Amino acid sequence: MGRTILHPISLELAPGRVLGIVGPNGAGKSTFLRLLYRYLRPTSGSIELDGVDLWSSSARDVARQVAAVLQEQPTDFALTVHEIVDLGRTPHRKGLGGMMNREDAAVVNDALDRLDLGDLANRRLGTLSGGERQRVMAARALAQEPRLLILDEPTNHLDIRHQLEVLALIRELPLTIVTSLHDLNMATQVCDEILLLRAGHPLGLGEPQAILTEGAVSDAFSVTARQERLSPSDMTHLTFHL
């Protein structure tokens, strides 16, 4: 009998909300996300989008509604940035050989502009830095025009400026978003709700300030966490020590 990686979790996320998944390494964050974008099938329970079980729909229909940006870097370095982002339109085209139409072109160009990739559109993916490739994958996901966007550590590999831009984008997009984040202070700023995991068990679900308390964070991460108030921003900020 296999080991249980993720124990039962029951939640409902309203449209347009941002849910952050946080917890130590091995807590089950990536497994939770893989269930949402149908990479893994749950052994019990169901995952529904607008009341429809994801596993009762075709892979093509799910791809029209759910997009994912993963930590793993792509391996197909021969394609250009524009070609990679255009792949996001594939679920919306008829037939395997569907050609780009005017609507597709507009969506792709808008995604390139949103992620500041216009100047890189004709560059091959293999010539880009890790951070630039991360932005390309985010643009491809936007080009899918999903209703649910899954982001697995979306600020990995990004410099400070582009981290801030991606976080601002998360807040601006009219999408329901589920994202895993290591930075708890970042999660507090960008997420409407937080799911705190440890060893596959949910420790709390709710608004960031209610979930990411000193006691809960200390318990989940086996550290001593302290909440401080920054000046002059007057924002709360978590610090940690062993």
Side-chain angles (χ1 to χ4, degrees), residues 11-28:
L11 63 88
E12 183 174 339
L13 187 61
R17 302 280 282 179
V18 179
L19 173 65
I21 314 300
V22 303
N25 291 340

Side-chain angles (χ1 to χ4, degrees), residues 214-237:
E214 291 179 350
V217 171
S218 298
D219 182 45
F221 290 87
S222 299
V223 298
T224 299
R226 291 285 181 265
Q227 272 197 344
E228 302 174 352
R229 192 162 291 277
L230 300 179
S231 177
S233 66
D234 200 36
M235 295 175 61
T236 57
H237 185 85

Side-chain angles (χ1 to χ4, degrees), residues 3 5-6 9 21 26-43 47 54-55 62 66-73 148-153 178-180 195 197:
R3 179 172 65 92
I5 298 175
L6 197 63
I9 297 172
I21 314 300
K29 300 186 297 296
S30 292
T31 298
F32 182 82
L33 296 184
R34 287 169 182 157
L35 290 166
L36 296 186
Y37 60 80
R38 228 179 76 150
Y39 182 81
L40 296 176
R41 188 167 193 156
T43 56
I47 299 165
L54 288 184
W55 286 93
V62 173
V66 181
V69 179
L70 310 180
Q71 289 190 57
E72 296 84 1
Q73 293 291 340
L148 174 63
L149 179 60
I150 311 297
L151 303 172
D152 192 0
E153 294 295 338
V178 180
T179 179
S180 62
L195 173 63
L197 298 174

Side-chain angles (χ1 to χ4, degrees), residues 77-84 117-129 132 136:
F77 296 128
L79 298 178
T80 67
V81 169
H82 190 282
E83 288 168 338
I84 290 287
L117 293 167
D119 292 340
L120 302 178
N122 295 318
R123 290 267 301 273
R124 295 195 179 277
L125 201 65
T127 68
L128 305 184
S129 69
E132 288 168 337
V136 173

Side-chain angles (χ1 to χ4, degrees), residues 38-100:
R38 228 179 76 150
Y39 182 81
L40 296 176
R41 188 167 193 156
T43 56
S44 64
S46 64
I47 299 165
E48 299 180 356
L49 184 62
D50 291 334
V52 178
D53 190 321
L54 288 184
W55 286 93
S56 70
S57 302
S58 68
R60 185 183 183 91
D61 285 341
V62 173
R64 289 180 180 138
Q65 300 182 76
V66 181
V69 179
L70 310 180
Q71 289 190 57
E72 296 84 1
Q73 293 291 340
T75 57
D76 191 351
F77 296 128
L79 298 178
T80 67
V81 169
H82 190 282
E83 288 168 338
I84 290 287
V85 177
D86 180 54
L87 289 175
R89 300 303 300 160
T90 303
H92 299 279
R93 291 178 180 145
K94 295 181 179 179
L96 295 176
M99 301 295 292
M100 176 183 281

Side-chain angles (χ1 to χ4, degrees), residues 123-231:
R123 290 267 301 273
R124 295 195 179 277
L125 201 65
T127 68
L128 305 184
S129 69
E132 288 168 337
R133 291 200 296 272
Q134 186 83 341
R135 285 156 52 206
V136 173
M137 294 302 104
R140 183 183 69 175
L142 292 187
Q144 273 181 250
E145 294 188 301
R147 302 186 64 190
L148 174 63
L149 179 60
I150 311 297
L151 303 172
D152 192 0
E153 294 295 338
T155 57
N156 269 9
H157 310 294
L158 298 183
D159 59 33
I160 294 172
R161 174 184 173 84
H162 286 108
Q163 283 186 34
L164 294 174
E165 288 179 348
V166 167
L167 293 177
L169 184 66
I170 290 174
R171 295 304 310 170
E172 293 168 3
L173 288 173
L175 296 172
T176 306
I177 296 175
V178 180
T179 179
S180 62
L181 290 165
H182 276 302
D183 189 323
L184 301 186
N185 292 302
M186 187 180 291
T188 298
Q189 293 177 43
V190 76
C191 298
D192 298 306
E193 299 173 56
I194 295 289
L195 173 63
L196 177 60
L197 298 174
R198 183 187 65 185
H201 293 274
L203 298 185
L205 171 67
E207 295 184 357
Q209 295 295 346
I211 299 302
L212 297 180
T213 63
E214 291 179 350
V217 171
S218 298
D219 182 45
F221 290 87
S222 299
V223 298
T224 299
R226 291 285 181 265
Q227 272 197 344
E228 302 174 352
R229 192 162 291 277
L230 300 179
S231 177

